[in-house]
Amino acid sequence: MSTRPTSIGGSLVIVTDFEAEAKRILAGTSAFDVLLVDPMTVTPDLVRARYNDIKRALITRESIGNTLVARAKGVLDGAFASLSDTALIARARDAHAKVMTARREEAEVLESIRTTTLLLESRAAALRVARDTRGDESSDLPLVVPSTDDTPQ
């Protein structure tokens, strides 16, 4: 068993490789992530080989009774079951593609929101400067918020 020191909450804790592997498995967002396989090139034979390699790293004499490892083993078994044959791989690949498309679209929307926010912030700053240079401390100068059609092209 190899270990490495890490700091959690200011105290030194020894983290074993099987615990790190268990955390990686539990953090996986898809069966492809859990088994460390590429969705486009995966085959049932590769899935079986990766499953066995990861299981060997996860299940050791020292890991028996570790609840984190037990949960990760369940996730690993589920990932293996969901990618165990060609039809299941095709179904999982389609689902993975939909998730990735949704993430891309979400990132595009967030980038658009960031751009609009920066534009509005710069307009507000310009209006504040204009108000301050006039020497007028009253808030007579309104902050104009553009309509949705007034976004940058």
Side-chain angles (χ1 to χ4, degrees), residues 123-134 136-144:
R123 286 183 180 176
L127 287 172
R128 278 190 218 98
V129 167
R131 182 189 64 203
D132 292 345
T133 56
R134 282 189 356 204
D136 185 6
E137 292 302 319
S138 67
S139 296
D140 293 342
L141 191 60
L143 293 178
V144 179

Side-chain angles (χ1 to χ4, degrees), residues 26-121:
L26 293 172
T29 58
S30 70
F32 300 109
D33 290 344
V34 170
L35 292 169
L36 300 172
V37 293
D38 178 22
M40 296 303 146
T41 61
V42 66
T43 63
D45 291 336
L46 178 61
V47 168
R48 191 174 306 100
R50 289 288 169 87
Y51 171 77
N52 288 328
D53 291 344
I54 294 169
K55 187 171 74 171
R56 267 192 300 277
L58 187 65
I59 308 298
T60 64
R61 198 174 302 167
E62 293 85 11
S63 71
I64 294 174
N66 185 311
T67 57
L68 185 68
V69 171
R71 286 188 7 232
K73 174 71 167 66
V75 171
L76 180 65
D77 289 344
F80 175 69
S82 69
L83 298 177
S84 60
D85 70 43
T86 308
L88 293 173
I89 289 172
R91 210 173 311 153
R93 186 180 292 137
D94 291 343
H96 183 72
K98 288 178 184 176
V99 167
M100 296 311 290
T101 299
R103 285 183 184 170
R104 253 190 319 277
E105 289 171 354
E106 182 179 335
E108 290 170 2
V109 167
L110 288 174
E111 185 58 34
S112 173
I113 290 170
R114 284 186 193 105
T115 303
T116 303
T117 300
L118 287 172
L119 175 69
L120 292 173
E121 287 173 347

